[in-house]
Amino acid sequence: MQAIRKLTAILAISASVTTLLAVQTATAQDNAIDKVTPVTAEMLLNPPDGDWLMWRRTFDGWGYSPLDQVNKENVKDLKLAWAWGMTPGGRSQETPLVHDGIIYIQNSTHLIQALDGATGDLIWEYQHELPDKVAPSGERNKAIYGNNLIIATRDAHIIALDIKTGKLVWDQQVADYNKGWGYTSGPIVADGVIIQGMTNCGNGQPGGCFITGHDPETGAELWRVHTIARGDTPEGNSWNGLPLESRHGASAWIAGSYDPDQNLIFAGVGQPYPWVAEISGLLPASSDTSVTNNALYTDSTLALDPQTGDLKWYHQYLANDSLDMDYVYERLLIDLPFKGEERKMVVTSGKIGIVEALDRTTGEWLWAKETVPQNIVLSIDQETGEKTINPDVIPKIGETTFNCPADPGGRAWQATSYSPRTQTLYMPTVEFCSNTTPNPLDPGTIYTGGGMATFSRVPTPDSDGNIGQVRAIDLTDLSDKWMYRQRPPITSSTLPTAGGLVFVGSLDRQFMAFDDETGEKLWESGKLSNSLESFPVSYEANGKQYIAIVANFASGLGRLSSLTPEVKLPRDNPATLYVFALPD
């Protein structure tokens, strides 16, 4: 079915205005939207304190708010300022963006909306119509550049909407959704180029995924880099002799970070598909000495030139990943001393929960810090970061193995954050294990997608019953500053602020605030409408600080609900944007 794009033009009286309510809302909000200014390249480099202009707010990926109106002393008075009902069902995993007091959200149905950040009133909305065969689900992030809100879609389009009116500016189809391609996260704009990673690469399409650069004026594709290595090179020969058409996966399903000093994008790449190496063909290892089975560039960081897509260097954290441990997540750019020398680091972790740092100027591996209980890695080479894998956990056809953690990870897509105030990493984690059983293809069957494994999730052997944690790790010495533990999984990313607070949400519908130095819980919201599987943000409107989070059961860490069956959630999966503030 041909996708139909339609715009509800709420700002102007026209034939596309659908309801009197929309017209009245627009009239009331004209002044708020009129104050919105274009987002410049300089603004992205140094965003106003009250704005949240990209996924992790700043190019360095910290996810930190410099606002301090809400602080340790007064957070106990935090109240609901307003709420907005979003389309129920689907998955949103939403990060609201905020500019000049206007908040932009994307519903799972791809209904894009602009709201007054102070009042919650609707200003405009735009419906991107998904084809019938594409299931409605949201995107984790979007971008703002110039006068445009830039959205990636589940049917593999990138679109630009006017930030003041919601009118469609351009629409670029990047890949064919009929072949399974689609986006689950949105772009980052760096050095005047839209950078977007392709996803849904475990769907059997040959050659895996790719990252593209686009012209922000038109959406035209400028360059494309493949995330599965090709050609007769050491990297291209790292797939155990498999032909390109039998190499799958390497999704770039999380937005990267950007270092303007080096003019480099740091992008994460996901795991090979199918997960089980005996099914993918990565095991048993080939006897051909000219090939390896590391499966580059899966589970790696890629350092890319945003103008050309040229690969400057890469580092692979986990070779031949057979357990869906996925090192695709946020890249935090942090400058701190290491062994007496100031180093420019890129810090990340995969589902295995091991935090690792590279020198982002060279790709040199620096250090690792273990967090959740795990039995996958036996040791790490302290010079190279190369891991020795426990052979007992590698899945084997016809057997069930026991591994800790498993999908969806000891840490999942819920982003880790960093506070320059405390030089501390705030990491949402979960502790669990799995009895893992491969699901091999029937003889003669062609692989068409999927991980091809079943995870039967269980508590860790020495579990205290607390599945969820927030961990505070001092990055100056890699010590554990504090840890908060609770039974329900922690299901949102963390949000540290200059007010000395760390906000986070959990499966049991609670939004909480902690003292960033001690871990003392200082505030909780009470029960909201649904699990909080999203990215909280803080912003300013009319001189007032707000904290926002979307409630939605997004089935990421929600898959751990089997470990806490006493936590009940609504069947219709409501989605709600909640905004909190101090009383006037």
Side-chain angles (χ1 to χ4, degrees), residues 217 326 330 516 536 556:
E217 295 298 320
D326 211 348
E330 73 288 334
D516 64 357

Side-chain angles (χ1 to χ4, degrees), residues 371-373 427 429-432 459-460 462-472 480 482-490 504 506 508 512 514 518-521:
T371 59
V372 299
M427 186 174 186
T429 61
V430 287
E431 295 179 357
F432 71 104
T460 57
D462 298 321
S463 176
D464 62 0
N466 291 312
I467 307 299
Q469 306 87 39
V470 179
R471 298 171 191 264
D480 296 318
W482 54 261
M483 186 194 311
Y484 168 79
R485 302 179 66 83
Q486 67 172 32
R487 177 153 174 77
I490 298 294
V504 75
S506 68
D508 64 340
M512 301 169 282
F514 297 90
T518 68
E520 178 187 359
K521 186 193 292 187

Side-chain angles (χ1 to χ4, degrees), residues 497-512:
T497 74
L501 301 168
V502 179
F503 290 89
V504 75
S506 68
L507 183 72
D508 64 340
R509 302 185 286 136
Q510 294 272 18
F511 193 35
M512 301 169 282

Side-chain angles (χ1 to χ4, degrees), residues 205-529:
Q205 288 302 308
C209 259
F210 46 86
I211 299 169
T212 51
H214 297 265
D215 184 337
E217 295 298 320
T218 65
E221 185 172 321
L222 303 174
W223 52 260
R224 178 175 297 203
V225 59
H226 293 279
T227 52
I228 284 181
R230 303 173 172 214
D232 187 15
T233 64
E235 294 81 10
N237 292 327
S238 67
W239 281 79
N240 209 34
L242 292 170
L244 183 62
E245 59 268 22
S246 296
R247 304 177 187 186
H248 306 290
S251 289
W253 58 277
I254 293 288
S257 299
Y258 174 58
D259 182 349
D261 293 335
Q262 293 190 84
N263 197 28
L264 286 179
I265 287 284
F266 299 97
V269 181
Q271 72 280 50
Y273 269 76
W275 301 325
V276 179
E278 286 186 354
I279 301 175
S280 69
L282 291 169
L283 284 177
S286 171
S287 60
D288 185 346
T289 57
S290 68
V291 304
T292 68
N293 63 349
N294 293 339
L296 288 167
Y297 300 101
T298 63
D299 291 294
S300 297
T301 288
L302 306 184
L304 302 172
D305 184 315
Q307 287 294 325
T308 64
D310 289 346
L311 177 62
K312 300 301 182 181
W313 58 258
Y314 68 88
H315 175 85
Q316 186 177 49
Y317 301 90
L318 189 61
N320 194 356
D321 177 6
S322 294
L323 286 165
D324 184 26
M325 288 294 100
D326 211 348
Y327 272 82
V328 74
Y329 301 122
E330 73 288 334
R331 268 59 183 161
L332 297 102
L333 310 185
I334 302 169
D335 299 345
L336 285 174
F338 176 67
K339 294 184 176 180
E341 180 185 354
E342 188 81 5
R343 303 299 289 265
K344 293 182 178 296
M345 302 180 188
V346 52
V347 179
T348 193
S349 58
K351 291 179 182 176
I352 199 169
I354 299 175
V355 184
E356 301 184 55
L358 310 175
D359 185 309
R360 68 177 184 270
T361 65
T362 64
E364 176 192 359
W365 187 88
L366 298 177
W367 54 256
K369 164 75 174 178
E370 292 202 34
T371 59
V372 299
Q374 65 88 18
N375 69 345
I376 296 169
V377 175
L378 295 178
S379 63
I380 302 176
D381 186 300
Q382 293 304 300
E383 294 297 321
T384 66
E386 184 176 354
K387 298 171 177 64
T388 300
I389 303 301
N390 179 1
D392 294 338
V393 306
I394 297 175
K396 300 176 180 64
I397 294 174
E399 299 181 18
T400 294
T401 53
F402 181 74
N403 53 282
C404 311
D407 173 83
R411 64 74 41 101
W413 53 260
Q414 290 80 355
T416 293
S417 57
Y418 174 75
S419 170
R421 205 185 93 87
T422 59
Q423 295 182 305
T424 297
L425 193 74
Y426 297 99
M427 186 174 186
T429 61
V430 287
E431 295 179 357
F432 71 104
C433 301
S434 171
N435 293 298
T436 301
T437 306
N439 302 319
L441 292 166
D442 293 331
T445 303
I446 297 174
Y447 174 69
T448 58
M452 308 302 291
T454 298
F455 298 104
S456 178
R457 302 172 184 90
V458 295
T460 57
D462 298 321
S463 176
D464 62 0
N466 291 312
I467 307 299
Q469 306 87 39
V470 179
R471 298 171 191 264
I473 302 169
D474 188 329
L475 290 192
T476 63
D477 59 10
L478 302 186
S479 63
D480 296 318
K481 180 171 286 189
W482 54 261
M483 186 194 311
Y484 168 79
R485 302 179 66 83
Q486 67 172 32
R487 177 153 174 77
I490 298 294
T491 51
S492 86
S493 60
T494 50
L495 168 64
T497 74
L501 301 168
V502 179
F503 290 89
V504 75
S506 68
L507 183 72
D508 64 340
R509 302 185 286 136
Q510 294 272 18
F511 193 35
M512 301 169 282
F514 297 90
D515 185 306
D516 64 357
E517 295 174 297
T518 68
E520 178 187 359
K521 186 193 292 187
L522 300 178
W523 173 84
E524 60 184 10
S525 63
K527 297 290 186 180
L528 302 178
S529 65

Side-chain angles (χ1 to χ4, degrees), residues 47-70 95 330 332-334 415-426 493-503 516 536-539 545 547:
D49 288 354
D51 277 8
W52 199 285
L53 297 178
M54 63 186 79
W55 176 46
R56 304 304 294 144
R57 189 181 174 274
T58 47
F59 281 135
D60 51 30
W62 290 359
Y64 169 81
S65 171
L67 299 177
D68 61 3
Q69 190 178 99
V70 180
T95 309
E330 73 288 334
L332 297 102
L333 310 185
I334 302 169
T416 293
S417 57
Y418 174 75
S419 170
R421 205 185 93 87
T422 59
Q423 295 182 305
T424 297
L425 193 74
Y426 297 99
S493 60
T494 50
L495 168 64
T497 74
L501 301 168
V502 179
F503 290 89
D516 64 357
V537 304
S538 185
Y539 66 92
Q545 182 182 357
I547 313 291

